[in-house]
């Protein structure tokens, strides 16, 4: 609720002087968030004192205020409340100040204090470890702004869906916690969206077991899609591979990216592969290659070509996988190429 009307207002001299005494780069704030400097009331010294009390040195304080100048508009009471809140999941103040240095915007968003507190306690009850909750607070802070009831409802919808798809009671908690850890943003969806997406998969003849398989493989990202986008992506793949509905279903189970990526993304990646001389039949055989960006594919093809491996004539398996997977298989191919062929029956030359 701070005013952003800058025309008729002047900078608060006291604020400027206080920031200057802390070696804060005022020009940087003017460039990015000048409106902060125009407010009548600011708590520069008080905020700096609290940060220093937590263990931040002068450089860290200056960095925090440069990155998140609106911190100085919060009262010391508000910041101490937020400090107490984050301490519920931080091991100590040393860890807390380190997180504030890295993610000041997340820490100083205190408008949803009550919701944040209720959600932290709910996640702890659910069984999420504190280190996972701190990761959520810094990388997905907006899931804490929801009313806790909304997050509870969504979790209950996911639990019911898991059981109705044939998942067991014994595994449900582990499944939910893993899903949340991999993709906390599923909590930004509505229960209706979750049910619509599951209904779409059933309508396209995916069995309960197959839907469960897709949910696990897609790490919950499926809930961020809509039936319309999934339909378009599937239709695109069907036209490209000229396959039946059953064949398409098997391709999607093999490579859920065909369901997840939008048509423009799939189009661009397919074109990139075809330009490299790879055939549609090869891609159909190893569709997981579409999970890689065009740049990654080009880089890997170049490295394999240097070893004399021609992807156009062989399988695309060697292109697949994470960076680590690729480096391992590339290393094996490299050492195989460099190793001299040993003939066990050849005479051994021994000098006298």
């Amino acid at each position: 609720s701070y005013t952003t009307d800058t025309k008729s207002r002047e900078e608060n001299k006291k604020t400027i002087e206080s920031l200057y005494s802390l070696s804060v780069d005022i020009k940087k704030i003017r460039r990015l968030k000048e409106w902060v400097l125009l407010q009548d009331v600011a708590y520069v010294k008080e905020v700096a004192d609290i940060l220093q009390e937590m263990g931040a040195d002068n450089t860290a304080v200056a960095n925090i205020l440069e990155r998140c100048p609106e911190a100085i508009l919060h009262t010391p009471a508000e910041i101490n409340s937020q400090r107490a809140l984050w301490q519920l999941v931080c091991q100590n103040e040393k860890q807390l100040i380190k997180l504030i240095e890295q993610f000041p915007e997340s820490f100083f968003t205190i408008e949803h204090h009550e919701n944040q507190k209720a959600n932290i306690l709910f996640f702890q009850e659910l069984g999420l470890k504190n280190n996972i909750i701190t990761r959520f607070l810094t990388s997905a802070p907006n899931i804490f702004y929801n009313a806790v009831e909304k997050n509870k409802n969504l979790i209950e919808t996911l639990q019911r869906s898991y059981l109705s798809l044939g998942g067991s009671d014994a595994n449900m908690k582990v499944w939910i916690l893993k899903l949340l850890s991999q993709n906390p943003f599923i909590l930004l969806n509505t229960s209706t969206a979750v049910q619509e997406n599951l209904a779409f998969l059933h309508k396209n003849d995916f069995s309960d077991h197959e839907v469960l398989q897709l949910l696990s493989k897609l790490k919950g990202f499926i809930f961020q899609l809509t039936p319309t986008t999934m339909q378009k992506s599937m239709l695109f793949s069907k036209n490209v591979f000229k396959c039946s509905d059953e064949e398409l279903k098997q391709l999607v189970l093999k490579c859920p990216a065909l369901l997840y990526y939008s048509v423009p993304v799939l189009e661009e990646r397919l074109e990139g592969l075809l330009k490299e001389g790879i055939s549609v039949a090869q891609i159909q055989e190893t569709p997981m290659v579409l999970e890689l960006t065009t740049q990654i594919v080009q880089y890997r093809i170049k490295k394999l070509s240097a070893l004399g491996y021609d992807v156009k004539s062989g399988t695309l398996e060697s292109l697949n996988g994470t960076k680590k997977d690729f480096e391992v298989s590339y290393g094996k191919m490299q050492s195989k190429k460099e190793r001299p062929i040993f003939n066990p029956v050849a005479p051994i030359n021994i000098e006298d």
Side-chain angles (χ1 to χ4, degrees):
S1 60
Y2 306 110
T3 175
T4 50
D5 175 20
T6 58
K7 287 173 191 168
S8 59
R9 308 198 56 189
E10 287 183 3
E11 288 181 352
N12 183 329
K13 286 190 175 65
K14 192 183 168 197
T15 301
I16 301 288
E17 284 164 15
S18 302
L19 288 169
Y20 190 73
S21 70
L22 291 165
S23 304
V24 172
D25 185 344
I26 314 278
K27 283 181 188 168
K28 195 173 178 183
I29 296 178
R30 279 195 186 112
R31 198 170 65 246
L32 300 173
K33 292 180 180 175
E34 193 195 17
W35 59 272
V36 171
L37 304 174
L38 308 176
Q39 307 307 317
D40 295 333
V41 180
Y43 302 92
V44 183
K45 189 183 180 303
E46 294 86 340
V47 173
D49 286 348
I50 293 172
L51 292 171
Q52 283 166 343
E53 203 183 293
M54 282 193 267
D57 61 19
N58 295 346
T59 310
V61 170
N63 285 340
I64 290 167
L65 298 184
E66 279 167 19
R67 282 185 57 194
C68 185
E70 56 270 43
I72 63 172
L73 303 177
H74 296 303
T75 66
E78 286 172 329
I79 290 173
N80 278 321
S81 293
Q82 192 75 340
R83 175 183 177 179
L85 185 64
W86 280 46
Q87 278 173 329
L88 292 173
V89 287
C90 285
Q91 293 165 357
N92 48 41
E93 293 223 307
K94 191 181 172 186
Q95 188 200 4
L96 175 54
I97 198 65
K98 200 175 167 190
L99 287 174
I100 297 172
E101 281 180 57
Q102 289 175 291
F103 307 96
E105 294 88 352
S106 300
F107 180 78
F108 289 108
T109 302
I110 64 179
E111 285 76 20
H112 312 273
H113 186 82
E114 288 309 312
N115 283 354
Q116 287 187 58
K117 186 174 184 177
N119 279 306
I120 285 174
L121 297 173
F122 166 59
F123 291 141
Q124 286 177 327
E125 280 167 31
L126 201 60
L128 276 172
K129 290 190 167 66
N130 283 344
N131 63 329
I132 302 284
I133 301 174
T134 53
R135 203 181 80 214
F136 288 0
L137 277 168
T138 53
S139 60
N142 36 354
I143 67 169
F144 293 86
Y145 309 160
N146 288 339
V148 72
E149 287 310 314
K150 182 189 179 296
N151 285 342
K152 276 183 181 172
N153 287 341
L154 195 84
I155 296 289
E156 282 164 14
T157 301
L158 290 170
Q159 288 171 329
R160 278 197 304 275
S161 303
Y162 178 75
L163 293 174
S164 72
L165 292 168
S168 71
D169 259 320
N171 293 333
M172 184 173 69
K173 187 179 176 182
V174 172
W175 183 78
I176 283 285
L177 294 180
K178 191 178 176 187
L179 201 63
L180 276 176
S181 304
Q182 290 171 328
N183 180 17
F185 295 105
I186 54 176
L187 292 169
L188 299 178
N189 298 299
T190 62
S191 299
T192 314
V194 169
Q195 286 158 339
E196 280 175 358
N197 285 359
L198 296 178
F200 169 81
L201 294 172
H202 279 132
K203 199 175 139 193
N204 280 274
D205 293 326
F206 286 91
S207 68
D208 286 352
H209 175 70
E210 287 166 344
V211 172
L212 210 50
Q213 202 180 320
L214 277 175
L215 296 192
S216 299
K217 276 190 177 178
L218 275 171
K219 301 174 181 174
F221 285 111
I222 197 161
F223 298 129
Q224 285 163 245
L225 305 173
T226 67
T228 313
T229 55
M230 290 192 279
Q231 183 71 58
K232 283 178 182 170
S233 297
M234 283 175 74
L235 195 60
F236 173 77
S237 298
K238 193 177 179 183
N239 290 336
V240 166
F241 299 119
K242 298 182 173 44
C243 56
S244 67
D245 288 347
E246 181 55 35
E247 284 168 334
L248 177 64
K249 196 176 84 166
Q250 293 311 317
L251 278 173
V252 168
L253 288 169
K254 209 172 174 183
C255 175
L258 294 176
L259 198 64
Y260 177 67
Y261 288 120
S262 66
V263 171
V265 170
L266 290 172
E267 222 161 15
E268 185 213 338
R269 292 186 180 185
L270 190 78
E271 271 173 36
L273 289 162
L274 297 176
K275 271 182 192 165
E276 295 292 337
I278 290 163
S279 68
V280 171
Q282 280 177 295
I283 300 167
Q284 190 165 353
E285 190 63 37
T286 316
M288 292 78 75
V289 78
L290 289 166
E291 291 173 2
L292 306 169
T293 66
T294 306
Q295 288 82 354
I296 290 172
V297 167
Q298 288 168 341
Y299 167 77
R300 291 183 181 183
I301 287 175
K302 204 173 171 183
K303 284 198 83 169
L304 291 171
S305 298
L307 290 181
Y309 184 85
D310 184 11
V311 289
K312 286 177 283 204
S313 55
T315 169
L316 301 183
E317 285 295 336
S318 50
L319 284 178
N320 264 347
T322 61
K323 186 181 178 184
K324 194 179 173 185
D325 296 335
F326 175 73
E327 294 301 337
V328 168
S329 64
Y330 175 78
K332 282 179 186 170
M333 290 168 80
Q334 197 176 28
S335 59
K336 198 174 175 185
K337 188 176 188 295
E338 289 167 0
R339 200 183 303 129
I341 296 166
F342 173 65
N343 182 350
V345 294
I348 298 169
N349 294 323
I350 302 170
E351 289 183 14
D352 293 327

